[in-house]
Amino acid sequence: MNIAGIGTICTRGRGIESFAHALQQGWKAPQFISLQSLPDKSFPVYPLNQESLMDKAVLGKMRRADRFSRMAALAAWDAVQDSGMALDGEHTMGIIVASAFGPHTTTFRFLDDILDYGEANVSPTAFSHSVHNTAASYIASLLDIRGPTITVSQFAFPFHQAILLAQAWLDEKRCDYVLVGSADESGRVMEYICSQKLRIADDGQIQPFHFSAAPKAVPGEGSVFFLMTSREDGRKYGELSEVALSSHRNEEEDKPDICILEADGMAGDETGYRDAVVPGAFAAGYSPLFGSMLTGSGFQCAAAALMLKEQIRYACPVQDNPGRVNICTVTETAEIHSIHCIRYHCGQKKAVIKLRR
């Protein structure tokens, strides 16, 4: 699949240009907030800037949409705009949204309303926004897309499953283009759960190269979308060539220039990442830029696509490297042909997204 356009929105701003600037700029400290469950400590989090969700020109018809749908719709809109494609109805397009937790903030608010006011008195608007497919529906309405639309929800590899489905749609000629992406938000409930279940980085730094059995996390939120196509004129950012789940590396045929390790503290034991580093290849990890998310693979793929397009090897934002792997320490021009994005879930199964120029 060729990558024709990318849209991103996260704590570092909106649009692929903002994300590229963040890669150039490096690490920034997260926001430290207070939680009722941690009255004596500050809690680090990478939230979206509320102003980045206030684009009336794009979201004018979504005034009732919640935070989850707004950030997904903006990232999807920007991916199409970035491609330069005209939405004139000439080409068929599908939509796939991947999420680990969906609009959980709205879902829990709706459940609270049932407890407070009873089933007969809750808002139908709140109910309609509490289902996972709401964001995909808003995107379809916003862009007047009439192709197949689906939401993939999974804790382990939701973005990877969405990519596999997009490839199937393109292979079947069901669509000329597929708008595929991920979205997850960090709300009050999520922050409480993270504070109770995860080891939080008190200094605000995710450490992708510690390969720790008890890694540190900093919750983040955001959305990233890719406009995919099999058309050769849509190869703006190179090609996403393969998604391999629980794969084993072929030493002779499968050696990338860079391995992006998606260690971010969200999936427990990260000792397996040490063996994922390919000898002779650079290692990188960009989760300290946008925070810990089960759908962070989308942002790592956006970083890989930018490196392939610009032929720039971006320095790792946090470079503490006790394992002494060959990490990218400076941002510099380089000849880059292929990049693998590697992620482990809590069951120690591995998934690899392969991109090439």
Side-chain angles (χ1 to χ4, degrees):
M1 289 186 293
N2 296 324
I3 303 173
I6 304 175
T8 66
I9 183 167
C10 66
T11 189
R12 302 297 289 269
R14 175 187 163 195
I16 192 64
E17 294 82 7
S18 295
F19 191 64
H21 181 65
L23 287 165
Q24 291 274 4
Q25 200 173 32
W27 183 77
K28 278 190 171 183
Q31 187 178 121
F32 287 85
I33 63 174
S34 297
L35 296 181
Q36 288 184 348
S37 57
L38 295 171
D40 301 326
K41 294 181 66 176
S42 56
F43 183 82
V45 62
Y46 281 108
L48 258 64
N49 185 332
Q50 190 62 26
E51 292 182 0
S52 62
L53 297 172
M54 303 301 289
D55 188 338
K56 293 183 180 178
V58 177
L59 303 176
K61 297 180 180 178
M62 294 177 56
R63 62 186 178 87
R64 294 187 177 182
D66 63 4
R67 183 183 182 83
F68 179 80
S69 293
R70 283 173 176 260
M71 62 185 188
L74 286 171
W77 171 274
D78 288 345
V80 174
Q81 296 300 309
D82 182 52
S83 73
M85 176 185 177
L87 291 169
D88 52 10
E90 181 180 351
H91 303 290
T92 56
M93 186 182 297
I95 302 170
I96 306 174
V97 179
S99 179
F101 300 103
H104 71 274
T105 300
T106 303
T107 303
F108 279 104
R109 187 166 62 241
F110 178 67
L111 293 173
D112 286 343
D113 287 348
I114 291 177
L115 295 174
D116 291 339
Y117 308 114
E119 292 182 8
N121 299 309
V122 294
S123 165
T125 302
F127 169 72
S128 65
H129 286 82
S130 69
V131 296
H132 282 41
N133 211 34
T134 304
S137 300
Y138 269 120
I139 294 168
S141 176
L142 180 68
L143 295 168
D144 194 24
I145 295 173
R146 300 166 188 268
T149 300
I150 195 169
T151 298
V152 178
S153 182
Q154 189 190 53
F155 291 146
F157 300 126
F159 181 71
H160 302 73
Q161 298 291 354
I163 292 291
L164 287 170
L165 183 57
Q167 180 69 70
W169 285 1
L170 292 174
D171 290 346
E172 294 170 353
K173 311 293 184 189
R174 185 174 298 209
C175 306
D176 298 318
Y177 293 87
V178 181
L179 195 51
V180 56
S182 63
D184 265 313
E185 61 178 330
S186 179
R188 190 177 57 182
V189 174
M190 180 61 62
E191 289 159 0
Y192 170 76
I193 292 172
C194 288
S195 73
Q196 300 298 308
K197 297 294 185 182
L198 299 180
R199 186 182 178 199
I200 300 299
D202 293 334
D203 61 357
Q205 285 197 343
I206 299 168
Q207 302 285 358
F209 310 113
H210 276 211
F211 309 130
S212 171
K216 298 176 181 177
V218 179
E221 64 178 354
S223 179
V224 54
F225 269 81
F226 299 81
L227 185 62
M228 300 291 196
T229 182
S230 298
R231 297 164 58 99
E232 278 304 313
D233 59 358
R235 198 174 176 131
K236 183 176 179 179
Y237 292 92
E239 177 189 6
L240 198 158
S241 59
E242 183 183 353
V243 176
L245 300 178
S246 300
S247 66
H248 298 283
R249 179 168 52 85
N250 183 320
E251 298 283 353
E252 298 299 325
E253 302 175 359
D254 209 12
K255 183 177 178 181
D257 298 302
I258 301 172
C259 293
I260 296 181
L261 308 180
E262 302 185 18
D264 64 1
M266 281 293 280
D269 188 351
E270 294 180 347
T271 53
Y273 283 100
R274 184 189 300 276
D275 298 329
V277 179
V278 177
F282 282 93
Y286 300 105
S287 52
L289 292 178
F290 46 82
S292 306
M293 284 182 270
L294 289 181
T295 51
S297 300
F299 287 101
Q300 307 281 6
C301 283
L306 277 168
M307 287 195 279
L308 289 168
K309 177 177 181 285
E310 305 295 342
Q311 292 292 283
I312 294 176
R313 192 164 49 220
Y314 291 110
C316 299
V318 173
Q319 299 185 4
D320 196 17
N321 184 21
R324 298 182 180 277
V325 294
N326 183 30
I327 67 172
C328 304
T329 57
V330 295
T331 296
E332 59 187 356
T333 57
E335 189 172 341
I336 306 171
H337 298 281
S338 68
I339 299 175
H340 290 183
C341 298
I342 302 167
R343 187 172 191 88
Y344 284 87
H345 72 19
C346 58
Q348 292 300 297
K349 288 190 176 179
K350 185 172 112 179
V352 182
I353 298 178
K354 302 178 181 180
L355 299 97
R356 62 189 181 193
R357 190 177 181 184

